[in-house]
Amino acid sequence: MKYAARCTLIALCCAAGNIAAQEAPPRTSAHVIGIGGANHLDTYLSPLNYTGPQFHYLHESLRPTSLFDGKVSFQSITHVEGSVTKNRPEKADDLGGSLSFDAAWHYHLLTDRPLEGFRLMLGPQIGGTLGFLYNTRNGNNPAQATAEVHLSASVAALYGFHRWGHRFTLREQLDLPLLGAMFSPAYGQSYYELFSLGHTDHNVRLTTPFNAPSLRSLLTFDFPVRNNTFRIGYLAEIRQSHINHIKRHSYTHAVLIGWVRHFTLLPHRQAMSRGCVF
Amino acid sequence: MNHLLRHALQGTTLLLFTVCAACVQEPQLADTPENNLEALWRIIDEHYCFLSYKKQAIGLDWDEVHTRYRARLNEKMSSTQLFEVLAEMLSELRDGHVNLYAAHDVARNWSWYEDYPTNFSQELQDAYLGTDYRIASGVKYRILPDNIGYLAVSTFQSSIGEGNLSEVLHYLRTCDGLIVDVRNNGGGDLTMAERLAQRFTNEKLHVGFICHKTGTGHDAFSEPEAEYLEPADGVRWQKQAIVLTNRQCYSATNTFVRDVRECPNVTVLGDQTGGGSGLPFSSELPNGWSVRFSACPMFDKEMCHIEFGIAPDTLVLLTDEDKARGHDTLIETARKIIAKNEKKELPGKNRSRELRGKE
């Protein structure tokens, strides 16, 4: 009796697993690291540009959804970056770091048009960033904090093709913040007033492309090596703001390299044939 | 759908052009004597918080300063010569919080104490402290022979713990009064100054105002916000206290004196403080020299400027005769006041405020 019950339980689990394996939507996860250059300006700290190397880590997750008959995919990007930059005379350093998260819902347009494997994706993206820029020799204005949330328009063009029995994917994505809010001290406001005395003065401001014109471009190329998929790419990011009479910009670009994993219970090739977004 | 797509792409293209056309930049000037002077002049012109006040108080005309010092430049001048010109230009501000830092020198105007008698002798203070004084977080203290506590706070740059202050005041609790000597204390951390002042009040006191610049204009300031002194949670001094000051009480120490003089049992005795009521910010020039300047002005509770110092409740100067006898006039006067248990006279205090307002 016990043996029969155990067999039944195992059979049910296997059946459930099989159903899950057959119906589970394939998900894509990519881990990417990058190195490049950064150009920072923050007139709260200095009128000089600071340039130097910047390091990046990106995690991207992508999965189909059931929205609009499955024509919408969900993408999340977590981006960590750190930089050590110097002013032009190389007499002072800025240490910078930020963590940003973006979630986008892309509607798939022009699937397999104008050529097979091409796909245009368009949709809203919401996200936010927390970060800092620390000047190593300033006194009462040693650092600038970054805290912002935004609603962006996200456009991506994908081209997937097969060569030598393997699938390759080329993707370019543009994220353009349209509306948001960000923290900024007032023009000459000290952090002593803000955090020790608790005095606020228009420290959360609305952002638009007119006072904070920003853009992120992500170009990636996914290619297989045996049963693994690797990714190389190029990240270019423009973050700017001119708020409370404080000018800030962060221009970054980086070469990326990483690996892509397709999380599914199906074998890799089968998952690819079932229509992974990448 | 194609119609919608066309509009979406057109909109995206337009926004891309907006982003590309709207670069947020600051002119990156070449490292020339002219550019460095222009950059320095502009930093002060747009960020320094006392230009209007000093125009009124000492006749400072920042535009005229530009013309005068611009004429002293030439393309062949050395870095050292340029530093001298820029240092002299900054010196016009008469502000101890204004400095220019180069690898070879620091430009400063310390006339706020160099032009006055010190009213302080380290030898005399050492003699009063003796060798068996106590030290807590850099604060030296002892009980003088006539049962008066003596506390020498020479800086606010190092951290003074709440526990340290409670221990110090607990040790001195049996004294008839307390002398807090902040002479030659050039300032440091405002939080430390406030932490010490909080030991002398049992209730929340309005002590002053602070504001900041909201734009590049000389008079573009935020609405002044009131500053309050909250009583400390630990041991608080309940008897008479006399704070000794001289011209070298600057910056955070100036703020300490502003705060503590509002406390009911505290009398400020000595010379006027040095001032320095602008919270300093930093910036830099095209050649990499760092510049420090006052950015956020602080006021007393009547909204009077305290940039050029705070007059004491009781003016007492160190005399040569006392010094020759090994007596510190300020300490001895404070001891007599405590012995007589004389409270400070409020009318005198108000009078000193009026005098200060005319500076």
Side-chain angles (χ1 to χ4, degrees):
Chain A
M1 188 63 184
K2 270 186 180 176
Y3 178 75
R6 197 177 296 166
C7 287
T8 307
L9 188 62
I10 291 170
L12 282 172
C13 288
C14 288
N18 198 28
I19 292 166
Q22 286 178 5
E23 295 186 356
R27 299 178 178 212
T28 302
S29 174
H31 296 270
V32 176
I33 57 170
I35 185 164
N39 180 321
H40 295 307
L41 168 74
D42 191 322
T43 56
Y44 184 76
L45 305 175
S46 165
L48 303 187
N49 287 347
Y50 279 65
T51 56
Q54 188 167 37
F55 307 92
H56 301 262
Y57 165 75
L58 278 96
H59 174 252
E60 182 181 3
S61 173
L62 202 70
R63 65 176 169 81
T65 71
S66 58
L67 298 170
F68 292 94
D69 296 329
K71 287 184 177 177
V72 172
S73 61
F74 173 76
Q75 178 197 46
S76 69
I77 297 177
T78 306
H79 183 188
V80 180
E81 61 186 25
S83 63
V84 181
T85 51
K86 286 182 177 295
N87 61 8
R88 191 176 52 194
E90 298 195 340
K91 289 180 178 171
D93 298 316
D94 269 356
L95 307 178
S98 72
L99 166 67
S100 58
F101 177 80
D102 290 290
W105 290 263
H106 289 119
Y107 186 85
H108 293 218
L109 297 160
L110 300 183
T111 307
D112 291 331
R113 280 190 299 156
L115 70 166
E116 190 179 345
F118 181 79
R119 189 176 295 185
L120 187 67
M121 299 152 67
L122 178 70
Q125 183 187 59
I126 57 170
T129 304
L130 288 173
F132 69 94
L133 192 62
Y134 171 71
N135 187 292
T136 53
R137 71 172 180 180
N138 277 9
N140 285 305
N141 56 331
Q144 177 70 290
T146 302
E148 59 93 18
V149 291
H150 56 255
L151 170 67
S152 303
S154 180
V155 185
L158 257 91
Y159 178 51
F161 55 95
H162 288 83
R163 289 286 185 278
W164 310 293
H166 293 286
R167 181 183 167 85
F168 298 81
T169 307
L170 184 65
R171 181 267 305 260
E172 165 62 23
Q173 179 171 336
L174 290 175
D175 301 324
L176 189 67
L178 299 176
L179 190 66
M182 71 176 282
F183 162 81
S184 173
Y187 179 68
Q189 188 178 22
S190 63
Y191 277 70
Y192 170 75
E193 291 172 273
L194 265 169
F195 297 114
S196 294
L197 301 178
H199 296 168
T200 56
D201 180 14
H202 302 91
N203 299 121
V204 179
R205 302 304 295 259
L206 197 69
T207 56
T208 68
F210 298 101
N211 64 5
S214 302
L215 177 70
R216 178 170 65 189
S217 165
L218 186 60
L219 176 67
T220 60
F221 179 62
D222 293 357
F223 58 96
V225 175
R226 296 189 176 177
N227 281 336
N228 297 306
T229 303
F230 288 90
R231 171 174 290 183
I232 57 172
Y234 177 73
L235 171 73
E237 193 166 22
I238 298 170
R239 283 188 204 164
Q240 304 181 114
S241 64
H242 190 179
I243 286 172
N244 290 344
H245 302 287
I246 296 171
K247 291 181 182 177
R248 300 167 75 178
H249 77 222
S250 172
Y251 303 148
T252 65
H253 68 103
V255 175
L256 309 171
I257 187 165
W259 65 96
V260 182
R261 298 189 68 185
H262 301 285
F263 284 90
T264 173
L265 295 177
L266 298 177
H268 177 71
R269 284 173 185 275
Q270 199 176 340
M272 299 298 281
S273 67
R274 285 171 65 88
C276 295
V277 179
F278 287 165
Chain B
M1 184 57 78
N2 283 338
H3 186 68
L4 179 68
L5 179 62
R6 194 165 60 246
H7 279 293
L9 288 175
Q10 283 172 349
T12 306
T13 309
L14 182 67
L15 285 168
L16 282 173
F17 274 115
T18 305
V19 170
C20 295
C23 283
V24 178
Q25 292 276 11
E26 190 71 1
Q28 298 297 299
L29 304 173
D31 177 11
T32 65
E34 182 183 350
N35 284 344
N36 282 302
L37 182 136
E38 292 296 337
L40 180 59
W41 184 86
R42 190 176 163 203
I43 286 168
I44 298 299
D45 188 58
E46 295 182 350
H47 294 269
Y48 186 66
C49 65
F50 292 125
L51 286 175
S52 285
Y53 167 61
K54 291 192 175 177
K55 187 171 190 174
Q56 180 190 351
I58 58 173
L60 174 72
D61 183 344
W62 193 236
D63 290 325
E64 183 274 330
V65 167
H66 176 266
T67 308
R68 186 153 36 98
Y69 285 87
R70 177 72 183 76
R72 291 174 57 178
L73 295 185
N74 66 73
E75 289 180 2
K76 292 178 181 174
M77 69 194 309
S78 68
S79 175
T80 309
Q81 289 169 327
L82 174 65
F83 185 86
E84 286 174 10
V85 172
L86 300 188
E88 282 185 44
M89 186 173 90
L90 288 181
S91 185
E92 302 274 353
L93 297 168
R94 296 191 210 172
D95 188 335
H97 276 149
V98 173
N99 300 100
L100 183 64
Y101 299 89
H104 68 282
D105 202 0
V106 177
R108 73 273 177 190
N109 182 329
W110 288 346
S111 58
W112 44 275
Y113 77 87
E114 288 173 338
D115 293 351
Y116 300 93
T118 59
N119 290 303
F120 176 78
S121 162
Q122 188 62 57
E123 282 182 22
L124 287 180
Q125 187 182 60
D126 290 345
Y128 278 89
L129 280 169
T131 54
D132 56 347
Y133 58 88
R134 294 183 169 206
I135 306 174
S137 281
V139 175
K140 297 175 181 177
Y141 62 104
R142 69 165 300 155
I143 299 173
L144 298 176
D146 48 356
N147 197 35
I148 291 172
Y150 179 74
L151 199 65
V153 187
S154 59
T155 181
F156 287 118
Q157 286 185 340
S158 53
S159 179
I160 306 171
E162 295 281 11
N164 297 118
L165 289 175
S166 288
E167 288 289 340
V168 169
L169 296 181
H170 185 259
Y171 173 76
L172 301 172
R173 68 191 184 282
T174 55
C175 295
D176 298 328
L178 179 64
I179 297 171
V180 182
D181 194 345
V182 292
R183 287 177 295 173
N184 276 30
N185 185 331
D189 190 340
L190 273 172
T191 311
M192 294 307 123
E194 184 184 22
R195 188 173 287 177
L196 180 58
Q198 285 173 332
R199 298 288 169 160
F200 297 94
T201 180
N202 294 321
E203 56 187 17
K204 184 178 176 179
L205 297 174
H206 176 210
V207 290
F209 290 93
I210 187 170
C211 63
H212 53 260
K213 291 202 73 178
T214 55
T216 56
H218 292 186
D219 295 312
F221 288 102
S222 64
E223 201 61 35
E225 295 251 20
E227 288 186 274
Y228 295 94
L229 185 68
E230 302 267 3
D233 289 333
V235 179
R236 295 193 292 269
W237 189 255
Q238 304 297 326
K239 300 175 190 172
Q240 192 172 12
I242 295 181
V243 175
L244 306 186
T245 56
N246 68 351
R247 291 274 180 173
Q248 287 200 51
C249 295
Y250 198 74
S251 190
T253 310
N254 194 55
T255 309
F256 168 77
V257 173
R258 179 200 70 171
D259 294 356
V260 83
R261 72 198 300 267
E262 301 299 336
C263 300
N265 294 325
V266 176
T267 301
V268 178
L269 182 148
D271 196 3
Q272 180 169 312
T273 61
S277 63
L279 210 63
F281 271 28
S282 303
S283 190
E284 55 193 350
L285 307 186
N287 63 2
W289 290 346
S290 177
V291 57
R292 190 172 80 135
F293 54 88
S294 298
C296 303
M298 300 169 89
F299 307 86
D300 70 8
K301 73 174 188 179
E302 273 88 32
M303 269 304 288
C304 292
H305 275 284
I306 50 173
E307 164 66 2
F308 287 129
I310 298 169
D313 295 321
T314 307
L315 180 67
V316 178
L317 306 179
L318 182 64
T319 64
D320 292 337
E321 295 77 27
D322 279 347
K323 196 173 176 181
R325 288 192 299 138
H327 283 192
D328 186 315
T329 317
L330 283 76
I331 294 176
E332 292 303 325
T333 309
R335 291 170 84 170
K336 285 175 191 166
I337 291 173
I338 291 172
K340 291 179 184 172
N341 198 19
E342 291 174 4
K343 298 289 183 183
K344 63 182 174 185
E345 295 174 9
L346 286 175
K349 191 173 174 183
N350 289 336
R351 189 165 59 248
S352 70
R353 278 200 181 118
E354 287 164 17
L355 288 170
R356 193 174 59 257
K358 290 177 184 172
E359 284 175 345

